[in-house]
Amino acid sequence: SPKGDHRASIFDFFRSHTAYDMLPESGRVVLLDANVPAAAAFSIMAANEQLAAPVWDSNTDRYLGMLTPMDMMEQILHCCREDCGMDCQTAMNSRDLNHLMTACPRPAGCPEATVDLRPDDDLMCVLRTFIRHDCRVLPVMDKEGTTQQLNQCLVGQVSRLLLFRFLYYRQEEYLRTLEGTLEDVGIGTHGRDKLVTAKIGDPVVDVMALMSRHSISGIPIIDDAGRLIDIYTDVDVLALVHFKVDIDVGQALEQARAGQVKTEQTCRTKDPLSEVVATFSKAKTTRLACLDDDGVVTGMLTLVDLFKFLAGKS
């Protein structure tokens, strides 16, 4: 399938479907009140397996933004940096979501309250909003009136992974015809000198600090030979809901993986692009580690890299 053809087909698909089309027919949306303490809010997200939750100020009837695991990570790092005379959980209980959403800088990947989607926005608009604002989850809002306060209605929320799956399961037959290997098309971040990695015995706080410093949501955890052990992500931070952070990243991963079914999180640079796309369809992550023949991590591929290629933006 020629490159121009696949891009034209993807473009047509994105133009002919809307954010509302993408919303699941059933599911769970957790809406958090701004008066809820931060510690309780993150526990609610973890218990309900929510990767993001909209925060609503019931006093002003106003949407304040999306709470994500990156907020939790930044708050943990703040507690560790600032010796405020209380442990992390006590500090989290002393702050409500109104403070987090209005007084603290928004972390990487977290949209400002003014960034949202309308139900009738087409998927090209959805994709551009994800990329332009570097956010991982967006609210779908129905608004009437001329001010932000008038008649806001939260319809649902969409993620990069939901957008990809919506595309894949409706265009699977076509996406299987993509030609070339990952190496041929040259997408992703490649070269060990360009990668941010950590070792299994590194303190989890140090790994989170690396994620914060580089504004990334996942870090490959490698052994001494550079082979992949796992990928620590912002979602894994939610497993630290008791805020016991004086552990290494290996212990943190054990907590996060308890009871989980292991899913694929790797690809190889020689893999056909069609296979890489299929791997993303089965993964529960927005990133894959690229390995060489010895299992050494040589690069990272994200859904955004793939979207940019498919939509002709690379």
Side-chain angles (χ1 to χ4, degrees), residues 90-124:
T90 304
M92 291 279 201
N93 276 318
S94 70
R95 301 172 194 150
D96 62 18
L97 293 185
N98 189 61
H99 173 80
L100 256 65
M101 305 305 287
T102 60
C104 300
R106 302 303 294 132
C110 303
E112 298 287 343
T114 53
V115 179
D116 56 29
L117 300 168
R118 301 291 185 275
D120 57 355
D121 284 345
D122 67 38
L123 297 189
M124 188 57 74

Side-chain angles (χ1 to χ4, degrees), residues 64-241:
L64 297 186
M66 299 291 286
L67 188 72
T68 77
M70 294 297 274
D71 287 289
M72 178 170 163
M73 186 180 83
E74 292 296 341
Q75 289 302 309
I76 288 173
L77 291 173
H78 178 76
C79 288
C80 293
R81 280 194 303 264
E82 310 288 332
D83 185 7
C84 51
M86 60 179 84
D87 63 43
C88 198
Q89 183 149 22
T90 304
M92 291 279 201
N93 276 318
S94 70
R95 301 172 194 150
D96 62 18
L97 293 185
N98 189 61
H99 173 80
L100 256 65
M101 305 305 287
T102 60
C104 300
R106 302 303 294 132
C110 303
E112 298 287 343
T114 53
V115 179
D116 56 29
L117 300 168
R118 301 291 185 275
D120 57 355
D121 284 345
D122 67 38
L123 297 189
M124 188 57 74
C125 174
V126 173
L127 178 59
R128 284 176 177 152
T129 306
F130 273 129
I131 293 173
R132 185 181 302 126
H133 297 281
D134 186 31
C135 44
R136 299 171 190 117
V137 181
L138 287 166
V140 181
M141 306 284 290
D142 206 3
K143 293 182 182 179
E144 294 179 7
T146 56
T147 69
Q148 193 176 17
Q149 284 75 23
L150 283 181
N151 298 328
Q152 291 187 106
C153 175
L154 178 72
V155 180
Q157 62 194 48
V158 295
S159 65
R160 292 174 182 173
L161 201 55
L162 183 65
L163 176 60
F164 173 76
R165 286 176 175 165
F166 185 81
L167 167 69
Y168 182 82
Y169 290 116
R170 285 158 183 80
Q171 298 277 289
E172 180 178 1
E173 186 176 338
Y174 178 77
L175 290 170
R176 287 180 183 275
T177 68
L178 291 174
E179 292 181 348
T181 65
L182 193 56
E183 188 175 50
D184 293 336
V185 297
I187 57 176
T189 301
H190 299 280
R192 295 183 66 179
D193 57 323
K194 298 178 183 176
L195 293 179
V196 180
T197 61
K199 299 289 183 63
I200 197 78
D202 290 349
V204 70
V205 170
D206 290 355
V207 176
M208 290 192 288
L210 273 176
M211 291 165 66
S212 176
R213 190 178 314 131
H214 293 277
S215 298
I216 53 179
S217 59
I219 289 188
I221 308 301
I222 59 174
D223 64 16
D224 290 338
R227 291 185 294 263
L228 183 73
I229 297 172
D230 208 331
I231 302 176
Y232 189 75
T233 73
D234 55 342
V235 179
D236 298 321
V237 175
L238 281 178
L240 299 171
V241 287

Side-chain angles (χ1 to χ4, degrees), residues 265-287:
Q265 54 183 359
T266 64
C267 61
R268 296 180 186 270
T269 54
K270 302 287 188 187
D271 285 349
L273 187 58
S274 56
E275 281 186 18
V276 175
V277 171
T279 300
F280 264 123
S281 75
K282 298 187 284 280
K284 291 183 177 179
T285 179
T286 59
R287 68 196 64 73

Side-chain angles (χ1 to χ4, degrees), residues 243-261:
F243 306 106
K244 307 295 184 196
V245 294
D246 54 343
I247 56 176
D248 62 39
V249 72
Q251 294 168 302
L253 281 165
E254 282 181 23
Q255 287 183 27
R257 299 286 179 268
Q260 284 189 1
V261 177

